[in-house]
Coordinates of all heavy atoms in Angstrom, one line a residue:
M13 N 16.3 67.3 -120.9 CA 15.5 66.7 -119.9 C 14.5 65.7 -120.6 O 13.8 66.1 -121.6 CB 14.7 67.7 -119.1 CG 13.9 67.1 -118.0 SD 13.3 68.2 -116.7 CE 12.9 69.7 -117.3
G14 N 14.4 64.5 -120.1 CA 13.6 63.5 -120.8 C 12.2 63.6 -120.3 O 11.8 64.3 -119.4
S15 N 11.4 62.8 -121.0 CA 9.9 62.8 -120.7 C 9.7 62.3 -119.3 O 8.8 62.8 -118.6 CB 9.3 61.9 -121.8 OG 7.9 61.8 -121.5
G16 N 10.4 61.3 -118.9 CA 10.2 60.7 -117.5 C 10.5 61.7 -116.4 O 9.8 61.8 -115.4
A17 N 11.6 62.5 -116.7 CA 11.9 63.6 -115.6 C 10.8 64.6 -115.6 O 10.5 65.1 -114.5 CB 13.3 64.2 -116.0
A18 N 10.3 65.0 -116.7 CA 9.3 66.0 -116.7 C 8.0 65.5 -116.0 O 7.3 66.2 -115.2 CB 8.9 66.4 -118.2
T19 N 7.7 64.3 -116.3 CA 6.5 63.7 -115.6 C 6.7 63.6 -114.1 O 5.8 63.9 -113.4 CB 6.3 62.2 -116.2 OG1 6.1 62.3 -117.6 CG2 5.1 61.6 -115.6
T20 N 7.9 63.3 -113.7 CA 8.2 63.2 -112.3 C 8.0 64.6 -111.6 O 7.4 64.7 -110.5 CB 9.6 62.7 -112.0 OG1 9.7 61.4 -112.6 CG2 9.9 62.6 -110.5
I21 N 8.6 65.6 -112.2 CA 8.5 67.0 -111.7 C 7.0 67.4 -111.6 O 6.6 68.0 -110.6 CB 9.4 67.9 -112.6 CG1 10.8 67.6 -112.4 CG2 9.1 69.4 -112.2 CD1 11.8 68.4 -113.3
V22 N 6.3 67.2 -112.7 CA 4.9 67.6 -112.7 C 4.1 66.8 -111.6 O 3.3 67.4 -110.9 CB 4.2 67.3 -114.1 CG1 2.7 67.4 -114.0 CG2 4.8 68.3 -115.1
S23 N 4.4 65.6 -111.4 CA 3.8 64.8 -110.3 C 4.1 65.3 -109.0 O 3.2 65.4 -108.1 CB 4.2 63.3 -110.4 OG 3.8 62.7 -111.6
I24 N 5.3 65.7 -108.8 CA 5.7 66.3 -107.5 C 4.9 67.6 -107.2 O 4.4 67.9 -106.1 CB 7.2 66.5 -107.4 CG1 7.9 65.1 -107.3 CG2 7.6 67.4 -106.2 CD1 9.4 65.2 -107.5
I25 N 4.9 68.5 -108.2 CA 4.2 69.7 -108.1 C 2.7 69.5 -107.9 O 2.1 70.2 -107.0 CB 4.5 70.6 -109.4 CG1 5.9 71.0 -109.4 CG2 3.5 71.8 -109.4 CD1 6.4 71.7 -110.7
V26 N 2.1 68.7 -108.6 CA 0.7 68.4 -108.4 C 0.4 67.9 -107.0 O -0.5 68.3 -106.3 CB 0.1 67.4 -109.5 CG1 -1.2 66.9 -109.1 CG2 0.1 68.1 -110.8
G27 N 1.3 67.0 -106.5 CA 1.1 66.4 -105.2 C 1.2 67.5 -104.1 O 0.4 67.5 -103.2
Q28 N 2.2 68.5 -104.3 CA 2.3 69.5 -103.3 C 1.1 70.5 -103.3 O 0.7 70.9 -102.3 CB 3.6 70.3 -103.6 CG 4.9 69.5 -103.4 CD 5.0 69.0 -101.9 OE1 4.8 69.8 -101.0 NE2 5.4 67.8 -101.8
V29 N 0.6 70.8 -104.5 CA -0.5 71.6 -104.7 C -1.8 71.0 -104.0 O -2.5 71.6 -103.3 CB -0.8 72.0 -106.2 CG1 -2.2 72.6 -106.3 CG2 0.3 72.9 -106.7
C30 N -1.9 69.7 -104.2 CA -3.1 69.0 -103.6 C -2.9 69.0 -102.1 O -3.9 69.2 -101.3 CB -3.2 67.6 -104.1 SG -3.8 67.5 -105.8
A31 N -1.7 68.8 -101.5 CA -1.5 68.8 -100.1 C -1.8 70.2 -99.5 O -2.4 70.4 -98.5 CB -0.1 68.5 -99.8
L32 N -1.4 71.3 -100.2 CA -1.6 72.6 -99.7 C -3.1 73.0 -99.8 O -3.7 73.6 -98.9 CB -0.8 73.7 -100.6 CG 0.6 73.8 -100.3 CD1 1.3 74.7 -101.3 CD2 0.9 74.2 -98.9
L33 N -3.8 72.5 -100.9 CA -5.2 72.7 -101.0 C -6.0 72.0 -99.8 O -6.9 72.6 -99.3 CB -5.7 72.2 -102.3 CG -7.2 72.4 -102.6 CD1 -7.5 73.9 -102.6 CD2 -7.6 71.8 -104.0
G34 N -5.5 70.8 -99.5 CA -6.2 70.1 -98.4 C -6.0 70.8 -97.1 O -6.9 70.9 -96.3
L35 N -4.8 71.3 -96.9 CA -4.5 72.1 -95.7 C -5.4 73.3 -95.6 O -6.0 73.7 -94.6 CB -3.1 72.5 -95.5 CG -2.1 71.3 -95.2 CD1 -0.7 71.8 -95.3 CD2 -2.4 70.8 -93.8
W36 N -5.5 74.0 -96.7 CA -6.3 75.3 -96.8 C -7.8 75.0 -96.5 O -8.4 75.7 -95.7 CB -6.2 75.9 -98.1 CG -6.9 77.2 -98.2 CD1 -6.5 78.4 -97.8 CD2 -8.3 77.4 -98.7 NE1 -7.5 79.4 -98.0 CE2 -8.6 78.7 -98.5 CE3 -9.2 76.5 -99.2 CZ2 -9.8 79.3 -98.9 CZ3 -10.4 77.0 -99.6 CH2 -10.7 78.4 -99.5
I37 N -8.3 73.9 -97.1 CA -9.7 73.5 -96.8 C -9.9 73.2 -95.4 O -10.9 73.6 -94.8 CB -10.1 72.3 -97.7 CG1 -10.2 72.8 -99.2 CG2 -11.4 71.7 -97.3 CD1 -10.4 71.7 -100.2
R38 N -9.0 72.4 -94.7 CA -9.2 72.1 -93.3 C -9.1 73.4 -92.5 O -9.9 73.5 -91.5 CB -8.2 71.1 -92.9 CG -8.5 69.7 -93.3 CD -7.5 68.7 -92.7 NE -6.4 68.8 -93.7 CZ -5.3 68.0 -93.6 NH1 -5.2 67.2 -92.6 NH2 -4.4 68.1 -94.5
L39 N -8.2 74.2 -92.8 CA -8.1 75.5 -92.0 C -9.3 76.3 -92.2 O -9.9 76.9 -91.2 CB -6.9 76.3 -92.5 CG -6.6 77.6 -91.8 CD1 -6.4 77.4 -90.3 CD2 -5.4 78.3 -92.4
H40 N -9.8 76.4 -93.4 CA -11.1 77.2 -93.6 C -12.2 76.6 -92.9 O -13.0 77.4 -92.2 CB -11.3 77.2 -95.1 CG -12.6 78.0 -95.5 ND1 -12.6 79.4 -95.5 CD2 -13.8 77.6 -95.9 CE1 -13.8 79.8 -95.9 NE2 -14.5 78.8 -96.1
W41 N -12.4 75.3 -92.9 CA -13.5 74.7 -92.1 C -13.3 74.9 -90.6 O -14.3 75.2 -89.9 CB -13.5 73.1 -92.3 CG -14.5 72.5 -91.6 CD1 -15.8 72.3 -92.0 CD2 -14.5 71.9 -90.3 NE1 -16.5 71.6 -91.0 CE2 -15.7 71.4 -90.0 CE3 -13.4 71.8 -89.4 CZ2 -16.0 70.8 -88.8 CZ3 -13.7 71.2 -88.1 CH2 -15.0 70.7 -87.9
R42 N -12.1 74.8 -90.1 CA -11.8 75.1 -88.7 C -12.2 76.5 -88.3 O -12.8 76.7 -87.2 CB -10.4 74.7 -88.4 CG -9.9 75.0 -87.0 CD -10.6 74.0 -86.1 NE -10.1 74.2 -84.7 CZ -9.9 73.3 -83.8 NH1 -10.1 72.0 -84.2 NH2 -9.6 73.6 -82.6
V43 N -11.8 77.4 -89.1 CA -12.1 78.9 -88.8 C -13.6 79.1 -88.7 O -14.1 79.7 -87.8 CB -11.4 79.8 -89.8 CG1 -11.9 81.2 -89.7 CG2 -9.9 79.8 -89.6
R44 N -14.3 78.5 -89.7 CA -15.8 78.7 -89.8 C -16.4 78.0 -88.6 O -17.3 78.5 -88.0 CB -16.3 78.1 -91.1 CG -17.8 78.2 -91.3 CD -18.2 79.6 -91.4 NE -19.6 79.7 -91.5 CZ -20.3 80.5 -90.8 NH1 -19.7 81.4 -90.1 NH2 -21.7 80.5 -90.9
H45 N -15.9 76.8 -88.2 CA -16.5 76.1 -87.0 C -16.3 77.0 -85.8 O -17.2 77.1 -85.0 CB -15.8 74.8 -86.9 CG -16.1 74.0 -85.7 ND1 -17.3 73.4 -85.5 CD2 -15.5 73.8 -84.5 CE1 -17.4 72.8 -84.3 NE2 -16.2 73.1 -83.7
E46 N -15.1 77.5 -85.6 CA -14.9 78.4 -84.4 C -15.7 79.6 -84.4 O -16.1 80.1 -83.4 CB -13.4 78.7 -84.3 CG -12.6 77.4 -83.9 CD -11.2 77.6 -83.6 OE1 -10.7 78.8 -83.7 OE2 -10.5 76.6 -83.4
Q47 N -16.0 80.2 -85.6 CA -16.9 81.4 -85.7 C -18.3 81.0 -85.2 O -18.9 81.8 -84.5 CB -16.9 81.9 -87.1 CG -15.7 82.7 -87.5 CD -15.7 83.0 -89.0 OE1 -16.4 82.4 -89.8 NE2 -14.9 84.0 -89.4
V48 N -18.8 79.9 -85.7 CA -20.1 79.5 -85.3 C -20.2 79.2 -83.8 O -21.1 79.6 -83.1 CB -20.6 78.3 -86.2 CG1 -21.8 77.6 -85.6 CG2 -20.8 78.6 -87.6
Q49 N -19.2 78.6 -83.3 CA -19.1 78.2 -81.9 C -19.1 79.5 -81.0 O -19.7 79.7 -80.0 CB -17.9 77.4 -81.6 CG -17.9 76.9 -80.2 CD -16.7 75.9 -80.0 OE1 -15.7 76.0 -80.6 NE2 -16.9 75.0 -79.1
R50 N -18.3 80.5 -81.5 CA -18.2 81.8 -80.8 C -19.5 82.5 -80.7 O -20.0 83.0 -79.7 CB -17.1 82.7 -81.4 CG -16.9 84.0 -80.6 CD -15.9 84.9 -81.3 NE -16.4 85.4 -82.5 CZ -15.8 85.3 -83.7 NH1 -14.6 84.9 -83.8 NH2 -16.3 85.8 -84.8
H51 N -20.2 82.5 -81.9 CA -21.5 83.1 -81.9 C -22.5 82.4 -81.0 O -23.3 83.1 -80.3 CB -22.1 83.1 -83.4 CG -23.5 83.6 -83.5 ND1 -23.7 84.9 -83.4 CD2 -24.6 82.9 -83.7 CE1 -25.1 85.1 -83.6 NE2 -25.6 83.9 -83.7
Y52 N -22.5 81.1 -80.9 CA -23.4 80.4 -80.1 C -23.1 80.7 -78.6 O -24.0 81.0 -77.8 CB -23.2 78.9 -80.3 CG -24.0 78.0 -79.3 CD1 -25.3 77.9 -79.4 CD2 -23.3 77.4 -78.3 CE1 -26.1 77.1 -78.5 CE2 -24.0 76.6 -77.4 CZ -25.4 76.5 -77.5 OH -26.1 75.7 -76.6
L53 N -21.8 80.7 -78.2 CA -21.5 81.0 -76.8 C -21.8 82.4 -76.5 O -22.3 82.7 -75.4 CB -20.0 80.7 -76.6 CG -19.6 79.2 -76.6 CD1 -18.1 79.1 -76.6 CD2 -20.3 78.5 -75.5
T54 N -21.6 83.3 -77.4 CA -21.9 84.7 -77.1 C -23.4 84.9 -76.9 O -23.8 85.6 -75.9 CB -21.5 85.6 -78.3 OG1 -20.1 85.5 -78.5 CG2 -21.7 87.1 -78.0
S55 N -24.2 84.3 -77.7 CA -25.7 84.4 -77.6 C -26.1 83.7 -76.2 O -27.1 84.2 -75.6 CB -26.4 83.8 -78.8 OG -26.2 82.4 -78.9
T56 N -25.5 82.6 -75.9 CA -25.8 81.9 -74.6 C -25.5 82.8 -73.4 O -26.3 83.0 -72.5 CB -25.0 80.6 -74.5 OG1 -25.4 79.8 -75.6 CG2 -25.4 79.9 -73.2
V57 N -24.3 83.4 -73.4 CA -24.0 84.3 -72.3 C -24.9 85.5 -72.3 O -25.3 85.9 -71.2 CB -22.5 84.7 -72.4 CG1 -22.2 85.8 -71.5 CG2 -21.6 83.5 -72.2
D58 N -25.2 86.0 -73.4 CA -26.1 87.2 -73.5 C -27.5 86.8 -72.9 O -28.1 87.6 -72.1 CB -26.3 87.6 -74.9 CG -27.1 88.9 -75.1 OD1 -26.8 89.8 -74.2 OD2 -27.9 89.0 -76.0
A59 N -28.0 85.6 -73.2 CA -29.3 85.2 -72.7 C -29.3 85.1 -71.2 O -30.2 85.5 -70.5 CB -29.8 83.9 -73.3
V60 N -28.2 84.5 -70.7 CA -28.1 84.3 -69.2 C -27.9 85.6 -68.5 O -28.4 85.8 -67.4 CB -27.0 83.3 -68.9 CG1 -26.7 83.2 -67.4 CG2 -27.3 81.9 -69.5
S61 N -27.1 86.5 -69.1 CA -26.8 87.8 -68.4 C -28.1 88.7 -68.3 O -28.1 89.5 -67.5 CB -25.7 88.5 -69.1 OG -26.1 89.0 -70.4
K62 N -29.1 88.4 -69.1 CA -30.3 89.2 -69.1 C -31.3 88.6 -68.1 O -32.5 88.8 -68.2 CB -30.9 89.3 -70.5 CG -30.0 90.2 -71.4 CD -30.7 90.3 -72.8 CE -29.8 91.1 -73.7 NZ -30.3 91.2 -75.0
G63 N -30.8 87.9 -67.1 CA -31.7 87.3 -66.1 C -32.1 85.9 -66.4 O -33.0 85.4 -65.6
G64 N -31.6 85.3 -67.4 CA -32.0 83.9 -67.6 C -31.2 83.0 -66.7 O -30.4 83.4 -65.8
Y65 N -31.5 81.7 -66.8 CA -30.8 80.7 -66.0 C -30.1 79.7 -66.9 O -30.6 79.3 -67.9 CB -31.9 79.9 -65.1 CG -32.6 80.8 -64.2 CD1 -33.9 81.3 -64.5 CD2 -32.1 81.2 -63.0 CE1 -34.5 82.2 -63.7 CE2 -32.7 82.0 -62.1 CZ -33.9 82.5 -62.5 OH -34.6 83.4 -61.6
L66 N -29.0 79.2 -66.4 CA -28.2 78.2 -67.2 C -28.0 77.0 -66.3 O -27.5 77.1 -65.2 CB -26.9 78.8 -67.6 CG -25.9 77.9 -68.3 CD1 -26.5 77.4 -69.6 CD2 -24.6 78.5 -68.5
K67 N -28.4 75.8 -66.8 CA -28.2 74.6 -66.1 C -27.3 73.7 -67.0 O -27.6 73.5 -68.2 CB -29.5 73.9 -65.9 CG -29.4 72.5 -65.2 CD -30.7 71.9 -65.1 CE -30.6 70.5 -64.5 NZ -31.9 69.8 -64.5
V68 N -26.1 73.3 -66.5 CA -25.2 72.5 -67.2 C -25.2 71.1 -66.6 O -25.0 70.9 -65.4 CB -23.8 73.1 -67.2 CG1 -22.8 72.2 -68.0 CG2 -23.8 74.5 -67.8
D69 N -25.3 70.1 -67.5 CA -25.3 68.7 -67.0 C -24.1 68.0 -67.8 O -24.3 67.8 -69.0 CB -26.6 68.0 -67.4 CG -26.5 66.5 -67.2 OD1 -25.7 66.0 -66.5 OD2 -27.4 65.8 -67.8
E70 N -23.0 67.8 -67.2 CA -21.8 67.3 -67.9 C -21.5 65.9 -67.4 O -21.6 65.6 -66.3 CB -20.7 68.3 -67.7 CG -19.5 68.0 -68.5 CD -18.4 69.0 -68.4 OE1 -18.7 70.2 -68.1 OE2 -17.2 68.6 -68.6
Q71 N -21.2 65.1 -68.4 CA -20.7 63.8 -68.1 C -19.4 63.7 -68.8 O -19.1 64.5 -69.7 CB -21.7 62.8 -68.7 CG -21.2 61.3 -68.6 CD -22.2 60.5 -69.5 OE1 -23.3 60.7 -69.6 NE2 -21.6 59.4 -70.0
R72 N -18.5 62.8 -68.6 CA -17.3 62.8 -69.3 C -16.6 61.4 -69.3 O -17.3 60.5 -69.8 CB -16.3 63.9 -69.1 CG -16.6 65.1 -69.9 CD -15.5 65.3 -70.9 NE -15.9 66.2 -71.9 CZ -15.0 67.0 -72.5 NH1 -13.8 67.1 -72.1 NH2 -15.4 67.7 -73.5
P73 N -15.5 61.3 -68.7 CA -14.4 60.4 -69.0 C -14.9 59.4 -70.1 O -15.4 58.3 -69.9 CB -14.0 59.7 -67.8 CG -14.1 60.8 -66.8 CD -15.3 61.6 -67.2
D74 N -14.6 59.7 -71.1 CA -14.9 60.1 -72.5 C -16.0 59.4 -73.2 O -15.8 59.0 -74.3 CB -13.6 60.3 -73.2 CG -13.5 61.7 -73.7 OD1 -14.2 62.6 -73.0 OD2 -12.8 62.0 -74.6
G75 N -17.1 59.5 -72.6 CA -18.4 59.2 -73.3 C -19.0 60.5 -73.6 O -20.2 60.6 -73.7
H76 N -18.2 61.5 -73.6 CA -18.6 62.9 -73.9 C -20.0 63.2 -73.3 O -20.5 62.4 -72.5 CB -18.7 63.3 -75.3 CG -17.4 63.3 -76.0 ND1 -16.2 63.2 -75.3 CD2 -17.0 63.3 -77.3 CE1 -15.2 63.2 -76.2 NE2 -15.6 63.2 -77.4
R77 N -20.6 64.2 -73.5 CA -21.9 64.6 -73.2 C -21.9 66.0 -72.4 O -21.2 66.1 -71.4 CB -22.7 63.7 -72.2 CG -24.1 64.1 -71.9 CD -24.8 63.1 -71.0 NE -25.9 63.6 -70.3 CZ -26.6 62.9 -69.4 NH1 -26.3 61.7 -69.2 NH2 -27.6 63.5 -68.8
L78 N -22.6 66.9 -72.9 CA -22.7 68.2 -72.3 C -24.1 68.7 -72.6 O -24.4 68.9 -73.8 CB -21.6 69.2 -72.8 CG -21.9 70.6 -72.4 CD1 -21.6 70.8 -70.9 CD2 -20.9 71.5 -73.1
R79 N -24.9 68.8 -71.6 CA -26.3 69.3 -71.9 C -26.4 70.7 -71.2 O -25.9 70.9 -70.1 CB -27.3 68.4 -71.2 CG -27.5 67.1 -71.9 CD -28.6 66.4 -71.3 NE -28.7 65.0 -71.9 CZ -29.6 64.1 -71.6 NH1 -30.5 64.4 -70.6 NH2 -29.7 63.0 -72.2
M80 N -26.9 71.6 -72.0 CA -27.2 72.9 -71.4 C -28.7 73.2 -71.5 O -29.3 73.0 -72.6 CB -26.4 74.0 -72.2 CG -24.9 73.8 -72.0 SD -23.9 74.9 -73.0 CE -24.6 76.5 -72.6
E81 N -29.2 73.7 -70.5 CA -30.6 74.2 -70.5 C -30.6 75.7 -70.2 O -30.2 76.0 -69.1 CB -31.4 73.4 -69.5 CG -32.9 73.7 -69.5 CD -33.6 72.9 -68.5 OE1 -33.3 71.7 -68.3 OE2 -34.5 73.5 -67.8
I82 N -31.1 76.5 -71.1 CA -31.2 77.9 -70.8 C -32.7 78.3 -70.7 O -33.5 78.0 -71.5 CB -30.6 78.7 -72.0 CG1 -29.1 78.3 -72.2 CG2 -30.7 80.2 -71.7 CD1 -28.5 78.8 -73.4
T83 N -33.0 78.9 -69.6 CA -34.3 79.4 -69.4 C -34.3 80.9 -69.4 O -33.6 81.5 -68.6 CB -34.9 78.9 -68.0 OG1 -34.7 77.5 -68.0 CG2 -36.3 79.3 -67.8
R84 N -35.0 81.5 -70.3 CA -35.0 82.9 -70.5 C -36.1 83.5 -69.6 O -37.2 82.9 -69.6 CB -35.2 83.4 -71.9 CG -34.0 83.0 -72.8 CD -34.3 83.5 -74.2 NE -33.2 83.1 -75.0 CZ -32.7 83.8 -76.0 NH1 -33.2 85.0 -76.3 NH2 -31.7 83.4 -76.7
V85 N -35.8 84.6 -69.0 CA -36.9 85.3 -68.2 C -37.6 86.2 -69.1 O -36.9 86.9 -69.9 CB -36.2 86.0 -67.0 CG1 -37.2 86.9 -66.3 CG2 -35.5 85.1 -66.1
P86 N -38.9 86.2 -69.1 CA -39.6 87.1 -70.0 C -39.2 88.6 -69.8 O -39.0 89.0 -68.6 CB -41.1 86.9 -69.7 CG -41.1 85.6 -68.9 CD -39.8 85.4 -68.3
A87 N -39.2 89.3 -70.8 CA -38.9 90.8 -70.7 C -39.9 91.5 -69.8 O -41.1 91.2 -69.9 CB -38.8 91.4 -72.1
R88 N -39.5 92.3 -69.0 CA -40.4 93.1 -68.1 C -41.0 94.3 -68.9 O -40.3 94.9 -69.7 CB -39.7 93.6 -66.9 CG -39.2 92.4 -66.0 CD -38.3 92.7 -64.8 NE -38.5 94.0 -64.3 CZ -37.7 94.5 -63.3 NH1 -36.8 93.8 -62.8 NH2 -37.9 95.8 -62.9
T89 N -42.2 94.5 -68.6 CA -42.9 95.7 -69.2 C -42.6 97.0 -68.4 O -42.1 96.9 -67.3 CB -44.4 95.5 -69.3 OG1 -44.9 95.4 -67.9 CG2 -44.8 94.2 -70.0
E90 N -42.9 98.1 -69.0 CA -42.6 99.4 -68.3 C -43.4 99.5 -67.0 O -42.9 100.1 -66.0 CB -42.9 100.5 -69.2 CG -42.0 100.7 -70.4 CD -42.3 101.9 -71.2 OE1 -42.8 102.9 -70.6 OE2 -41.9 101.9 -72.4
D91 N -44.6 98.9 -66.9 CA -45.4 98.9 -65.7 C -44.7 98.1 -64.6 O -44.7 98.6 -63.4 CB -46.8 98.4 -66.0 CG -47.6 99.3 -66.9 OD1 -47.3 100.5 -67.0 OD2 -48.6 98.8 -67.5
E92 N -44.1 97.0 -64.9 CA -43.5 96.2 -63.9 C -42.2 96.9 -63.4 O -41.8 96.7 -62.3 CB -43.1 94.8 -64.5 CG -44.3 94.0 -64.8 CD -44.0 92.7 -65.5 OE1 -43.0 92.7 -66.3 OE2 -44.7 91.7 -65.3
I93 N -41.5 97.6 -64.3 CA -40.3 98.3 -63.9 C -40.5 99.4 -62.9 O -39.8 99.6 -62.0 CB -39.5 98.8 -65.2 CG1 -39.1 97.6 -66.0 CG2 -38.4 99.7 -64.8 CD1 -38.5 98.0 -67.4
A94 N -41.6 100.1 -63.2 CA -42.0 101.3 -62.3 C -42.5 100.9 -61.0 O -42.4 100.3 -60.2 CB -43.0 102.2 -63.0

């Protein structure tokens, strides 16, 4: 096998490794992004379910925009509960 063939094989292998590394990095970023989004949504639902209020102001066709306003109700004391 000549030097040119070895160089070609190494180039192909390096290219494939870089492509796989790029895919792995994008997948890792996507998973992390979805974990953060899930945590945010879970905390939002938790706040609203404890007596808070949720106001959603959505605009779209595609100038995006989603505004959420969460108003938490102050925790009741034992005297107020009784």
Side-chain angles (χ1 to χ4, degrees):
M13 178 161 43
S15 175
T19 302
T20 301
I21 291 172
V22 168
S23 296
I24 291 170
I25 291 172
V26 168
Q28 295 297 318
V29 167
C30 287
L32 286 174
L33 182 61
L35 287 172
W36 182 83
I37 289 170
R38 281 184 279 183
L39 179 62
H40 181 71
W41 180 86
R42 178 69 180 215
V43 167
R44 181 66 186 132
H45 174 74
E46 289 183 7
Q47 286 173 338
V48 169
Q49 188 176 29
R50 184 182 69 229
H51 175 73
Y52 173 75
L53 290 173
T54 302
S55 63
T56 301
V57 169
D58 187 43
V60 171
S61 70
K62 291 181 179 175
Y65 299 97
L66 174 65
K67 178 182 175 184
V68 178
D69 169 19
E70 189 172 331
Q71 175 189 329
R72 271 250 163 145
D74 240 19
H76 296 347
R77 179 179 161 184
L78 169 69
R79 290 186 183 181
M80 291 176 54
E81 181 181 323
I82 300 171
T83 305
R84 293 182 183 216
V85 174
R88 294 172 27 183
T89 63
E90 288 184 29
D91 292 338
E92 293 174 328
I93 295 171

